[in-house]
Amino acid sequence: MKRQVGLGGLIERLRTEVPQWSRLLPQFPRLAANALAAVENQERVLTELAELRRTSARRNQWLTAGVLLLAAIVLMFGWAFLGFRLPRL
């Protein structure tokens, strides 16, 4: 247990990890810059997504109004020219 947790274990883990660290350390500045760019890009994408949602909501409102208007016109033509009767409530 002392070998796994104590100073001996730490030294053994360092011996196995240091070669990997020596390959990763030179990449840290580039990786950090990429991470920051990804955050900025994510903020831009979220802003564009919010704008798309607003545009989609507006378009859906206009489409709903158009469908209701078209349905009203069809009912009026049916009532005026074909003698459709409205249901009694």
Side-chain angles (χ1 to χ4, degrees):
M1 182 66 145
K2 212 175 194 185
R3 186 166 180 238
Q4 292 176 349
V5 179
L7 185 59
L10 176 64
I11 292 172
E12 186 177 321
R13 281 193 306 270
L14 283 175
R15 282 187 186 142
T16 59
E17 296 291 331
V18 166
Q20 293 175 2
W21 290 354
S22 67
R23 286 190 300 270
L24 290 177
L25 280 175
Q27 297 176 15
F28 276 149
R30 181 178 46 83
L31 293 173
N34 288 346
L36 290 173
V39 168
E40 291 172 2
N41 188 32
Q42 183 180 18
E43 290 172 359
R44 183 183 55 81
V45 168
L46 289 175
T47 303
E48 290 177 7
L49 182 60
E51 180 61 31
L52 284 172
R53 285 181 180 162
R54 284 191 293 274
T55 303
S56 178
R58 265 194 311 263
R59 184 179 56 239
N60 287 343
Q61 289 173 346
W62 281 107
L63 284 172
T64 301
V67 166
L68 290 175
L69 181 63
L70 183 63
I73 290 170
V74 166
L75 285 174
M76 285 192 302
F77 275 118
W79 178 58
F81 296 112
L82 300 177
F84 286 164
R85 301 285 179 234
L86 295 176
R88 303 262 179 206
L89 297 177

